[in-house]
Amino acid sequence: MYQPAHGKFRVDEPAQLLAELCREVPATLVTHGPEGFRASILPMLFDSGDGPNGSLRGHLARGNPQWREVETALASGVDGGGEALVIFSGPDAYISPAWYEEKGLTGKVVPTWNYVTVQAVGRLTLHPEPEWLVPHVRRLVERQEAGRADPWSIDDTPEGYVETQVRAIVGLELRIERLEAKQKLSQNRSRADVEGAIVGLDSGEWRERDVAAAMRRARDR
């Protein structure tokens, strides 16, 4: 991931940001196979204590050819076989130079895009076995249902139903070898420009307001 030399966008604790984003947004899993790059959107669980950099766990539909390509790559024994990139994209929004105080002072301003992202690289392991998949699905459901007034549980299903359904998915686990995070939230602008951008974003839609909230947190740190 490109990080400017000034280092103001770099995140010192990427695992903490990953844990936050993992609960809020799905991941984009990117792999490379015989037909080139392939990407899938899927929710994932992050275990920070599993290995030096933690691990990510998710699942794909059996009908998705991506896992078959990973299986072939792992079986080949080629260096780098089964390697994957996982991207978590947080809030993002266009930043208009019209919001900057600097526009009225010198006019030397340009538009940009603010965003929050985490990228993890590692080697995948596949898990087709039900004894791995059922606990995984339970953990994923419990995370997503937590806090709801009437949370749904896999125990609400008929006996044996979940065990039947997991036959249609394949689990995957990525031991993180490299973890990077970036929060580009106008940290390289003056405080007045930051305040102007926050005000401008607050008048927008939910995406813009989410970026404004992230900018406030970055400003107040």
Side-chain angles (χ1 to χ4, degrees):
M1 182 191 305
Y2 167 66
Q3 298 277 8
H6 59 64
K8 294 179 179 179
F9 304 150
R10 190 183 302 276
V11 177
D12 294 331
E13 298 182 5
Q16 181 177 331
L17 182 58
L18 171 56
E20 295 172 5
L21 288 184
C22 198
R23 291 191 296 267
E24 299 171 357
V25 297
T28 300
L29 172 70
V30 183
T31 57
H32 191 272
E35 298 183 11
F37 289 102
R38 196 181 294 275
S40 294
I41 307 297
L42 68 160
M44 300 193 82
L45 294 164
F46 174 52
D47 185 348
S48 62
D50 185 15
N53 300 306
S55 66
L56 289 164
R57 300 184 181 94
H59 62 272
L60 297 173
R62 277 194 173 270
N64 186 334
Q66 189 170 15
W67 78 268
R68 287 288 189 190
E69 293 177 351
V70 171
E71 182 181 52
T72 300
L74 290 171
S76 71
V78 175
D79 288 344
E83 190 174 45
L85 167 67
V86 180
I87 304 169
F88 290 89
S89 298
D92 68 281
Y94 171 76
I95 305 298
S96 171
W99 297 332
Y100 292 153
E101 180 189 63
E102 190 66 25
K103 174 182 178 293
L105 297 176
T106 67
K108 296 180 179 180
V109 290
V110 293
T112 191
W113 205 281
N114 278 3
Y115 57 87
V116 176
T117 185
V118 176
Q119 297 182 8
V121 174
R123 198 162 185 259
L124 290 169
T125 301
L126 298 177
H127 289 283
E129 59 273 12
E131 57 268 26
W132 190 95
L133 287 165
V134 173
H136 163 71
V137 171
R138 180 182 293 277
R139 283 187 62 201
L140 192 58
V141 168
E142 289 175 349
R143 184 191 70 180
Q144 296 305 125
E145 292 285 334
R148 295 174 62 87
D150 185 21
W152 181 84
S153 168
I154 66 172
D155 295 328
D156 295 336
T157 63
E159 184 176 355
Y161 179 77
V162 172
E163 287 75 8
T164 300
Q165 291 299 299
V166 298
R167 296 174 186 168
I169 61 176
V170 175
L172 52 88
E173 182 176 13
L174 181 139
R175 289 294 182 95
I176 300 173
E177 298 172 2
R178 187 171 76 250
L179 183 63
E180 296 179 279
K182 186 175 181 180
Q183 294 192 101
K184 182 179 177 295
L185 299 170
S186 298
Q187 299 97 319
N188 59 327
R189 304 296 310 186
S190 69
R191 187 175 184 87
D193 284 354
V194 170
E195 296 299 332
I198 289 173
V199 171
L201 290 165
D202 273 335
S203 65
E205 299 180 349
W206 65 268
R207 274 180 63 182
E208 286 79 13
R209 294 195 296 273
D210 283 351
V211 174
M215 290 177 66
R216 287 191 184 91
R217 291 192 294 271
R219 176 200 63 190
D220 296 339
R221 275 198 290 269

